[in-house]
Amino acid sequence: MKTRFKPKFNIKKGDLVAVIAGDDKDRTKARKVLEVQPDKARIIVEGVNIITKHTKPTAQNTKGGIVKQEAPIAISNVMLWDAKTGAPTRVNKQRENGKLVRIAKKSGEVIK
């Protein structure tokens, strides 16, 4: 993603999200974010978009074989999870005590 201005995303590593599009779509289940790749606008979510990777034997992994792991999905395919309402929500940013905080639009709670 080569743009003049760097995009800002509301999702961080460790957040709970709901997958709203794709093969693993489930708006009723919260899943944990493992990694955010802001330069590619992609995100790795626990248990979503599982791929099988064939690995050769190396010094660290003497066996090699087939490994299942998560692959990145588009950041637009997830929504932040609101713990109070138990549903996905949009995000609003406000300044509190000089710091920007994320606020869930459904419940009005601050997202940690």
Side-chain angles (χ1 to χ4, degrees):
M1 177 186 295
K2 293 197 177 197
T3 56
R4 187 169 165 198
F5 301 104
K6 191 174 179 185
K8 294 181 176 75
F9 299 111
N10 296 321
I11 297 170
K12 298 177 182 176
K13 179 180 175 181
D15 283 345
L16 291 176
V17 295
V19 180
I20 59 169
D23 292 337
D24 297 305
K25 176 168 79 171
D26 190 2
R27 293 179 70 109
T28 61
K29 193 188 298 181
R31 299 172 187 254
K32 190 175 180 183
V33 175
L34 301 176
E35 184 183 336
V36 178
Q37 302 167 349
D39 53 326
K40 298 178 186 172
R42 300 193 69 80
I43 189 171
I44 297 178
V45 182
E46 189 175 41
V48 174
N49 197 19
I50 301 290
I51 60 166
T52 55
K53 188 172 184 175
H54 298 264
T55 58
K56 283 187 171 182
T58 61
Q60 291 87 17
N61 183 13
T62 56
K63 273 197 158 188
I66 300 171
V67 179
K68 290 189 181 284
Q69 66 182 35
E70 291 94 355
I73 60 172
I75 203 163
S76 61
N77 291 347
V78 297
M79 278 181 89
L80 212 53
W81 187 260
D82 187 5
K84 187 173 182 184
T85 59
T89 182
R90 295 194 311 272
V91 179
N92 189 15
K93 287 187 178 179
Q94 286 185 354
R95 197 169 287 280
E96 284 185 9
N97 302 333
K99 282 192 170 185
L100 269 176
V101 293
R102 300 174 298 163
I103 297 175
K105 286 209 172 192
K106 274 194 179 174
S107 65
E109 292 285 309
V110 174
I111 299 167
K112 307 234 172 342

